[in-house]
Amino acid sequence: MIVYWLCFILFLVGLYGVITKRNLIKIAISLSIMEFSTFLFFTLIGFREGGVAPIVDPADPVKTYVDPLPQAMVLTAIVIGLATTAMLMSVIIRLYRKYGTFDIREIKNLKG
Amino acid sequence: MTVIVKKTTQLIAGMVFLYGIYVIIHGHLTPGGGFAGGVVMAGSFILLILAFGSDFMHLTKEESGSTLYENLAILVVVFLSVSGLLYGARIFFLNWLPKGTAGELVSAGMLPLYNIFVGIEVASSILTIFLALVIFKEETLE
Amino acid sequence: MNPLIPLFVIIPLAGAFLIMIIGKFLSGFGRYFTSAILLSLVVFSIYSLFTGSGTLSLYKVGGWEPVNRIPIGIYMVMDGFTVIVLCIINIIGFLSAFYSISYIKRYTSENFYYALFCLMTAGMNGVVLSGDLFNIFVFMEISVIAAYALVAFGVEKNELEATFKYQVLGCLASFMILIGIGFIYWKAKTLNIADIKEVLSSGYDRTYYLVVQILILSGFGLKAAIIPFHAWLPDAHSSAPSPISAMLSGVLIKAVGIYVIIRLFFNMFELSENMSVLITTLGALSMVIGVFLAIGQWDIKRLLAYHSISQMGYVVLSVGAGMILVAQGEKPEIATLAIAGGIFHLVNHAVFKGLLFLNAGAIEYTIGTRDLKEMGGLAKQMPATSATSFIASMSISGIPPFNGFFSKLIIIIACVMAKFYLLAALAVLVSIITLASFLKFQRYAFYNKTDRGREKTIKEVPFPMLFSMVIMSLLCVLLSLLAIPDIRDTILGPAIDILMDPVKYSTQIIGI
């Protein structure tokens, strides 16, 4: 059970970073931390005590396998996370070019 | 970069590339597959660019090339999945090739084909992302 | 198996990448190709509305048959509710793409624009059609990542800031949804919506699933910009190019937000009174606060964006009132009326809000500003824009004989009949404030005389933009026919049936 709580703490670390940090890059890093805590949670869901990788060996079929579905989901979610992070980084680079700063307090053209 | 870095990269990049191909081709037998192998393959290109550097014009040309490969690869994947729709039973993503014996390299019907093209797609798209970010940075410095 | 179902995803997906390749060598290819493929999707969706309506058709991707009545493959499901949302996605998508032909000429790299547009449509069609939770997540991410890029398409200061805000909040929402899906999979051991319903029907842990419901509601609520989660919407929707604003406000927040909330809460979770009251309260809050935030705006697109929050509030409130009645298990005919009103307003909002954003785009295209104070007297120079925007404004503020009046009327009647007098009064009040705010828009943009000495140079927008606006204003009038009970029953009836019956959806899917 303790691993689930550690995973949750990792999520909160990321959330803390997103809320309190003022630097755009640090916000992106915090989002990545949250993302990976979610992935960790998924792999923990699929874990079985004493399980092996879910590859069926025709010679010796009776074994405990870990659940492959969460792993497939994590792989898909990693690809999506890659796209999101790349998009976020390119937006940050562009923002830096326009505003000349990474400080979120100085990027406030839109309000109301 | 120094000579040491350049020489090591020259030695390693080829092996990294080959390892990526190995992971892709054995995707239906072992953990890994298109995405993991594609990332490894893209890693070898990125290593070379980082070690040897490249001028701005060259990078943009390379980026347009990798975008083209990316789009072609994903179109092939879409075509492969649609081929199931055209084949007899009208089922999208149908695995209609003969399955073969489990555990052999040439088996599992369409899966190795998907793995190969997804691998090309992932390798070229990660390279595109890397190049695009480098190009953005170069533009910023000017 | 209906072979039409996967085409809704395949055609725009393949189209997006074809545009990127052929557009390199043939300039202007993307412009017409996007309109062509979206027109074909419009034909398909209207065909399925009139032929397959009332029945639920299932598509097993890859031909994976269920084992011991447990579905193991990916299912695509098309039922009455799906078909309606598909129709509005593709119709608004086609009209926006056609409008873009002349609008987007002033931006560079058209091919990227059209490719992203196709990807966004593919993602939304996928969300609506998919029958399991994880595919909803994947398609949702495809469409919102395309939307992030499209919001930033102008790459100026405002666009980038808006897209950064949208992305950070969107990522948080995605994580909440993903964790919610993980929690469901942990206990239910399945991802198929119908199968989860089956598992839940044999008893479940109430506190555990309450947490899941809250996670799912806040995640999709953030994507749908219900009020405590609305911060990104006015920035993102007002900074995007106008056809994209029409898509975002008209369909994206519905397809990836409201649709999924309605689908999951009616067909997957057991309706509980607490959650229904929470949803109704959120709806009422967004309805009231959205309109009060809107009334002080002077930027047209910002004003319209705040009205989107308010109008989505109507939909959520009405569906939520239906949920309360279903959860209490009494007065099913009033619940039917409330849900019908909600879905009717959802369709109407897509049409008139899309039209209003296209009008705003037309104004911006000709005079180059979005500030209401700098406009005026446009009614003479741009008669068609003025007329269509008058229809849309009257429609959104609930003036007969336009469609917005009838859906609001149904919502208010349902609230009164269910004895939610406060909600009915709020709905009337918000409608009046909406009218005030749109009279301001009409007066300042089209009738107020200003002396800027440039009246001569302003002329009506080119044909593609005009065509989309006129078709949408015709739809505004035509959709009011849905108020006639017979027509409503044939079009909206199957959707309401599938939502009202708690087990119809799951038994049909598991049974086939």
Side-chain angles (χ1 to χ4, degrees):
Chain A
M1 200 62 212
I2 188 143
V3 279
Y4 293 104
W5 285 109
L6 287 176
C7 183
F8 184 60
I9 289 170
L10 193 61
F11 185 82
L12 291 185
V13 168
L15 192 61
Y16 173 82
V18 171
I19 292 168
T20 58
K21 291 297 170 202
R22 304 286 184 209
N23 188 314
L24 297 179
I25 302 262
K26 283 183 184 165
I27 291 177
I29 293 172
S30 310
L31 279 174
S32 290
I33 292 174
M34 282 172 80
E35 198 179 307
F36 285 111
S37 79
T38 318
F39 299 161
L40 193 58
F41 174 63
F42 267 78
T43 36
L44 285 176
I45 291 173
F47 178 70
R48 297 280 174 284
E49 199 69 51
V52 296
I55 302 162
V56 178
D57 185 2
D60 183 17
V62 195
K63 266 182 190 165
T64 317
Y65 300 116
V66 295
D67 191 349
L69 189 60
Q71 298 181 357
M73 292 199 285
V74 166
L75 266 180
T76 318
I78 286 175
V79 179
I80 293 169
L82 172 80
T84 324
T85 314
M87 185 69 214
L88 199 59
M89 289 324 271
S90 55
V91 168
I92 289 172
I93 292 174
R94 293 275 181 165
L95 268 174
Y96 183 73
R97 187 152 94 201
K98 294 285 174 197
Y99 286 85
T101 175
F102 281 127
D103 193 340
I104 201 162
R105 282 167 296 187
E106 298 185 12
I107 300 174
K108 47 179 184 191
N109 249 15
L110 297 166
K111 49 168 106 68
Chain B
M1 288 287 165
T2 59
V3 181
I4 302 174
V5 176
K6 282 186 179 175
K7 207 69 203 168
T8 323
T9 315
Q10 266 179 342
L11 287 173
I12 284 179
M15 280 195 280
V16 172
F17 189 79
L18 272 183
Y19 182 66
I21 291 179
Y22 167 82
V23 172
I24 290 174
I25 289 180
H26 289 76
H28 55 295
L29 301 175
T30 55
F35 181 71
V39 173
V40 175
M41 266 168 78
S44 74
F45 292 121
I46 291 174
L47 259 180
L48 284 174
I49 293 171
L50 282 180
F52 288 90
S54 190
D55 56 0
F56 184 68
M57 286 308 293
H58 195 71
L59 283 179
T60 44
K61 201 187 284 173
E62 214 152 278
E63 200 238 350
S64 78
S66 67
T67 315
L68 188 67
Y69 278 112
E70 184 199 343
N71 290 318
L72 278 176
I74 205 156
L75 269 181
V76 173
V77 173
V78 171
F79 175 74
L80 285 177
S81 61
V82 173
S83 72
L85 198 67
L86 304 175
Y87 180 88
R90 304 206 175 281
I91 295 170
F92 184 39
F93 265 117
L94 183 69
N95 191 350
W96 52 273
L97 282 178
K99 306 283 190 301
T101 329
E104 280 181 18
L105 189 57
V106 183
S107 62
M110 307 273 286
L111 292 190
L113 287 176
Y114 281 128
N115 270 330
I116 289 168
F117 286 103
V118 168
I120 295 171
E121 144 71 16
V122 169
S124 51
S125 67
I126 287 183
L127 188 61
T128 312
I129 290 171
F130 174 77
L131 290 172
L133 290 180
V134 174
I135 290 169
F136 277 179
K137 191 175 150 265
E138 300 270 325
E139 281 175 348
T140 315
L141 290 179
E142 275 165 15
Chain C
M1 299 232 276
N2 182 356
L4 215 56
I5 296 177
L7 288 183
F8 282 106
V9 181
I10 299 171
I11 291 178
L13 197 64
F17 297 102
L18 266 180
I19 288 170
M20 286 301 293
I21 293 176
I22 300 180
K24 256 198 171 106
F25 309 107
L26 198 66
S27 69
F29 172 75
R31 219 178 283 161
Y32 304 106
F33 190 62
T34 313
S35 297
I37 57 178
L38 283 166
L39 186 62
S40 70
L41 291 183
V42 169
V43 172
F44 288 156
S45 54
I46 291 179
Y47 171 78
S48 358
L49 178 67
F50 284 107
T51 56
S53 188
T55 54
L56 184 146
S57 49
L58 192 63
Y59 196 90
K60 303 188 185 82
V61 177
W64 292 95
E65 295 296 330
V67 179
N68 300 329
R69 296 185 75 231
I70 296 169
I72 53 172
I74 293 170
Y75 281 15
M76 290 171 118
V77 184
M78 187 190 260
D79 60 13
F81 188 32
T82 310
V83 164
I84 290 172
V85 183
L86 267 184
C87 275
I88 61 171
I89 290 173
N90 292 311
I91 290 174
I92 307 289
F94 164 66
L95 292 174
S96 303
F98 198 72
Y99 180 96
S100 309
I101 289 177
S102 33
Y103 184 84
I104 219 71
K105 272 182 187 152
R106 59 207 186 109
Y107 291 91
T108 51
S109 51
E110 260 181 50
N111 284 332
F112 285 104
Y113 174 84
Y114 288 109
L116 287 168
F117 196 101
C118 288
L119 267 186
M120 189 164 78
T121 319
M124 283 189 288
N125 284 344
V127 168
V128 178
L129 280 171
S130 69
D132 70 281
L133 285 175
F134 195 69
N135 272 291
I136 287 181
F137 174 76
V138 171
F139 281 121
M140 181 191 78
E141 286 296 303
I142 291 176
S143 60
V144 296
I145 289 175
Y148 298 152
L150 283 170
V151 168
F153 201 72
V155 282
E156 285 305 319
K157 279 188 170 185
N158 290 353
E159 281 92 336
L160 290 169
E161 188 189 338
T163 197
F164 184 78
K165 215 184 258 185
Y166 184 13
Q167 256 186 306
V168 171
L169 288 173
C171 282
L172 285 178
S174 302
F175 301 149
M176 280 191 232
I177 294 165
L178 198 54
I179 291 174
I181 292 173
F183 272 121
I184 291 176
Y185 182 76
W186 198 3
K187 280 279 187 281
K189 295 290 169 215
T190 175
L191 286 170
N192 192 294
I193 294 176
D195 203 28
I196 293 170
K197 178 81 189 173
E198 286 277 293
V199 173
L200 293 189
S201 63
S202 54
Y204 59 93
D205 181 352
R206 276 179 193 281
T207 356
Y208 185 82
Y209 278 98
L210 190 68
V211 176
V212 174
Q213 286 182 343
I214 300 275
L215 277 171
I216 296 265
L217 179 66
S218 43
F220 286 109
L222 225 160
K223 300 275 185 200
I226 301 173
I227 212 75
F229 317 113
H230 68 287
W232 58 270
L233 185 137
D235 297 342
H237 287 196
S238 60
S239 303
S242 284
I244 296 306
S245 306
M247 281 298 273
L248 292 179
S249 236
V251 281
L252 190 85
I253 56 173
K254 299 182 183 67
V256 308
I258 307 282
Y259 169 83
V260 185
I261 289 177
I262 294 177
R263 171 66 81 208
L264 295 188
F265 277 88
F266 275 100
N267 289 139
M268 195 174 86
F269 297 118
E270 192 187 347
L271 279 178
S272 65
E273 213 176 324
N274 297 338
M275 284 311 288
S276 322
V277 171
L278 179 65
I279 290 173
T280 316
T281 320
L282 289 182
L285 270 180
S286 11
M287 188 173 80
V288 176
I289 299 177
V291 82
F292 277 110
L293 287 172
I295 197 156
Q297 299 297 327
W298 286 98
D299 180 337
I300 352 170
K301 283 174 80 175
R302 251 186 128 71
L303 184 142
L304 296 176
Y306 276 115
H307 275 294
S308 281
I309 301 176
S310 164
Q311 300 298 317
M312 285 336 285
Y314 272 101
V315 177
V316 176
L317 170 129
S318 172
V319 173
M323 277 184 191
I324 295 180
L325 293 175
V326 175
Q328 283 170 344
E330 32 188 68
K331 298 183 249 178
E333 66 284 353
I334 304 174
T336 313
L337 196 64
I339 296 170
I343 296 172
F344 188 17
H345 199 70
L346 191 143
V347 175
N348 289 345
H349 178 255
V351 175
F352 55 64
K353 190 49 68 68
L355 175 54
L356 280 167
F357 269 115
L358 295 189
N359 288 141
I363 294 170
E364 200 188 348
Y365 182 83
T366 36
I367 66 171
T369 177
R370 298 202 311 237
D371 194 344
L372 276 175
K373 287 174 190 159
E374 292 175 27
M375 296 171 193
L378 293 177
K380 281 221 182 73
Q381 283 90 8
M382 305 166 73
T385 311
S386 162
T388 50
S389 94
F390 179 75
I391 291 176
S393 304
M394 290 305 108
S395 183
I396 194 175
S397 22
I399 304 292
F402 301 113
N403 55 2
F405 169 72
F406 295 103
S407 51
K408 284 185 182 178
L409 188 68
I410 294 176
I411 292 172
I412 292 166
I413 290 176
C415 284
V416 170
M417 279 164 76
K419 300 201 171 57
F420 300 139
Y421 296 117
L422 179 66
L423 294 182
L426 279 179
V428 175
L429 176 76
V430 170
S431 189
I432 293 168
I433 303 175
T434 309
L435 179 62
S437 134
F438 275 95
L439 285 179
K440 173 180 124 182
F441 166 54
Q442 287 292 319
R443 179 167 174 272
Y444 277 93
F446 295 107
Y447 297 105
N448 210 11
K449 275 287 169 196
T450 49
D451 41 10
R452 289 155 303 150
R454 58 172 179 184
E455 263 81 22
K456 300 281 185 297
T457 61
I458 299 171
K459 52 180 192 298
E460 191 56 84
V461 289
F463 168 73
M465 295 166 82
L466 215 56
F467 173 80
S468 298
M469 292 194 290
V470 170
I471 294 288
M472 279 209 196
S473 60
L474 284 181
L475 278 178
C476 268
V477 181
L478 280 180
L479 277 173
S480 52
L481 286 178
L482 276 179
I484 301 167
D486 285 344
I487 300 179
R488 195 178 72 213
D489 285 346
T490 44
I491 307 275
L492 298 180
I496 298 157
D497 281 348
I498 206 99
L499 294 178
M500 283 291 292
D501 193 335
V503 292
K504 194 173 177 186
Y505 180 82
S506 57
T507 46
Q508 270 182 321
I509 289 177
I510 301 289
I512 297 172

